[in-house]
Amino acid sequence: MPSMQTNVAPSFRKTTETFAAGAKGLSQHYFVSPEIFSEEQKKIFSRQWVLVGHQSQIAQAGDYLTAEVAGESLIIVRDKRGAIHGFYNVCRHRGSRLIENRSGQSAAIQCPYHAWTYALDGRLIGAPHMDEVLGFDKADYSLHAVNLSMWEGFIFVNLADSPAPLAEWFKPLAGKFSRWNLSTLRSAKRIEYDVRANWKLIFENYSECYHCGGVHPELSKISPYDSAENDLTEGPFLGGFMRIAKGKSLTMSGNACALAMEQFGEEDFRLVFYYSIFPNMLLSLHPDYVMVHQLFPQSPERTLIFCDWFFNPEAFKRNDFDPDDAVEFWDMVNRQDWHVCELSQQGISSRAYEPGPYSARESIPAAWDREYLRFMK
Ligand code: FES
Ligand SMILES: [Fe+2]
């Protein structure tokens, strides 16, 4: 295992080191306009790879989840051979929604309307009375597939006709997180948050700790707000690490809550890594767990957020496994964040709002805004 000195230090920069004056927040219409919102749905969420889950969340044949991306309902399902598929949640008969649940288990996908039945790989295998229709061939009516690809065990979908491969998109991050063995992780808990704030405010909030001293007193005690150093400072992947006080963990008790993700060296136990992955993933890598937020914009003023806490699969078997210690801690911090994001949304909606200057500790939100504007061109 490489030490932190060789692994991290050379490429990381203090957030305050290089920051040209002049960057300001986005103007009001980016946060309130229904036109901008639909433009985002078209230019970003209908074209980019969007995170919808992790393979461990549909571990068995027949396990499925549904996701809503750019107004489209999708079914993500594991078939009997173990392959994961993505389909539009639309019956090939008269278009009915097939699955209403957010997740579940089923041997096949049966339409609730006239009971057409699809295999887990999307083939139509049952269509009552359709043999009475001359020339009807079930082979012509498989479910419509959506582009689906995996990165480190995470499932991404893309609504574009022929998107660039996901592996290409993630090339700049190749090997970066291998120490966490992300593909093997298992989620112990999910919390859903319905936040009354624009999705971009969530990204901007995640990307700085300028607010941490005041908003997160508990977090700041364990992880000093001014300890941020970034190695990804431009582009669709942004972030870096913060320090954790010696012998501490980001949990309610302050103690590690699970078997470590890896045989980390002592220095590695003192770091927590935070990366935003455009356009809907926040990846927080702790020594003893990994937290992932998925963002689903609902309207200019509303964002649905799924937060999952993942652990080393070996940790589940041990007596010292206490996932709630981490979950409760970040649930508290999450809610502190959502509250200030909602306050931002309220203030930004005012006629008195005008974009204010970013501080030197907000270079990453400024970079995120630049990247966002590139996609909106
Ligand atoms: S709409 Fe699905 S079977 Fe008729
Ligand atoms: Fe925060």
Side-chain angles (χ1 to χ4, degrees):
M1 185 58 51
S3 74
M4 288 315 300
Q5 280 68 31
T6 55
N7 201 24
V8 170
S11 58
F12 278 80
R13 289 210 307 247
K14 275 301 237 191
T15 51
T16 48
E17 255 173 29
T18 53
F19 191 70
K24 290 188 169 184
L26 295 167
S27 52
Q28 182 187 56
H29 64 291
Y30 284 104
F31 300 102
V32 302
S33 152
E35 289 76 30
I36 293 278
F37 184 81
S38 49
E39 209 178 313
E40 289 169 347
Q41 295 287 299
K42 203 168 100 208
K43 293 185 175 169
I44 297 174
F45 290 91
S46 301
R47 289 188 194 160
Q48 299 305 313
W49 288 100
V50 174
L51 173 69
V52 293
H54 186 270
Q55 60 184 10
S56 65
Q57 291 164 332
I58 46 171
Q60 308 298 327
D63 285 353
Y64 65 82
L65 56 90
T66 57
E68 194 143 319
V69 176
E72 295 289 349
S73 178
L74 306 169
I75 302 170
I76 315 299
V77 62
R78 190 183 286 272
D79 74 16
K80 290 191 173 126
R81 297 187 333 274
I84 294 176
H85 303 272
F87 303 112
Y88 285 86
N89 192 358
V90 177
C91 182
R92 292 298 309 274
H93 177 222
R94 280 168 55 200
S96 170
R97 189 64 85 233
L98 295 161
I99 296 180
E100 295 176 83
N101 302 345
R102 194 162 278 155
S103 62
Q105 229 279 336
S106 185
I109 300 168
Q110 186 169 63
C111 181
Y113 202 168
H114 313 92
W116 283 27
T117 303
Y118 303 87
L120 300 173
D121 61 5
R123 282 174 303 118
L124 179 64
I125 51 173
H129 297 289
M130 289 305 288
D131 52 355
E132 299 155 12
V133 177
L134 280 182
F136 176 80
D137 185 352
K138 289 205 278 285
D140 296 335
Y141 295 95
S142 296
L143 292 177
H144 287 301
V146 66
N147 303 299
L148 180 146
S149 202
M150 313 285 291
W151 173 72
E152 302 271 6
F154 290 99
I155 306 167
F156 289 79
V157 296
N158 192 315
L159 302 185
D161 288 337
S162 39
L166 185 67
E168 201 123 305
W169 171 250
F170 275 119
K171 223 177 192 170
L173 300 184
K176 190 172 176 64
F177 306 120
S178 51
R179 292 186 302 157
W180 282 269
N181 297 312
L182 296 174
S183 63
T184 68
L185 303 187
R186 272 179 56 198
S187 168
K189 176 83 177 174
R190 163 174 291 191
I191 297 184
E192 298 180 15
Y193 301 97
D194 192 348
V195 183
R196 302 280 151 173
N198 186 277
W199 66 283
K200 298 185 288 298
L201 293 175
I202 314 285
F203 268 101
E204 290 160 356
N205 167 274
Y206 181 81
S207 304
E208 47 92 359
C209 222
Y210 186 36
H211 68 273
C212 292
V215 175
H216 307 304
E218 302 84 356
L219 173 67
S220 300
K221 255 187 240 157
I222 307 175
S223 185
Y225 80 97
D226 57 355
S227 66
E229 295 187 33
N230 298 305
D231 64 333
L232 298 179
T233 55
E234 200 65 47
F237 316 118
L238 293 166
F241 71 79
M242 291 185 64
R243 298 192 181 278
I244 302 174
K246 194 173 168 64
K248 291 287 181 192
S249 200
L250 294 182
T251 56
M252 275 305 193
S253 69
N255 304 319
C257 65
L259 180 68
M261 306 299 298
E262 179 50 88
Q263 297 304 313
F264 289 132
E266 197 187 326
E267 258 302 286
D268 306 65
F269 278 102
R270 306 278 312 270
L271 301 173
V272 50
F273 294 81
Y274 299 104
Y275 291 100
S276 69
I277 293 177
F278 199 85
N280 83 321
M281 180 179 193
L282 305 176
L283 177 61
S284 307
L285 305 130
H286 300 66
D288 46 349
Y289 61 97
V290 169
M291 178 174 65
V292 176
H293 296 83
Q294 298 175 41
L295 276 64
F296 295 98
Q298 303 295 301
S299 76
E301 294 95 7
R302 191 176 150 224
T303 307
L304 205 55
I305 302 175
F306 300 156
C307 185
D308 289 292
W309 284 261
F310 293 92
F311 294 86
N312 182 337
E314 292 303 312
F316 289 77
K317 303 174 192 157
R318 294 170 43 127
N319 294 335
D320 60 359
F321 184 48
D322 185 11
D324 288 346
D325 207 9
V327 171
E328 282 167 28
F329 182 81
W330 269 108
D331 183 40
M332 169 186 70
V333 176
N334 280 337
R335 289 174 197 278
Q336 292 165 341
D337 277 325
W338 312 153
H339 181 59
V340 290
C341 288
E342 290 179 343
L343 293 179
S344 289
Q345 182 71 38
Q346 290 165 24
I348 287 170
S349 307
S350 162
R351 70 178 72 184
Y353 170 75
E354 54 183 314
Y358 277 131
S359 74
R361 294 186 186 279
E362 294 165 295
S363 60
I364 299 295
W368 192 89
D369 289 355
R370 284 195 293 278
E371 187 66 9
Y372 161 79
L373 291 172
R374 273 178 217 128
F375 279 95
M376 288 292 279
K377 263 191 194 136

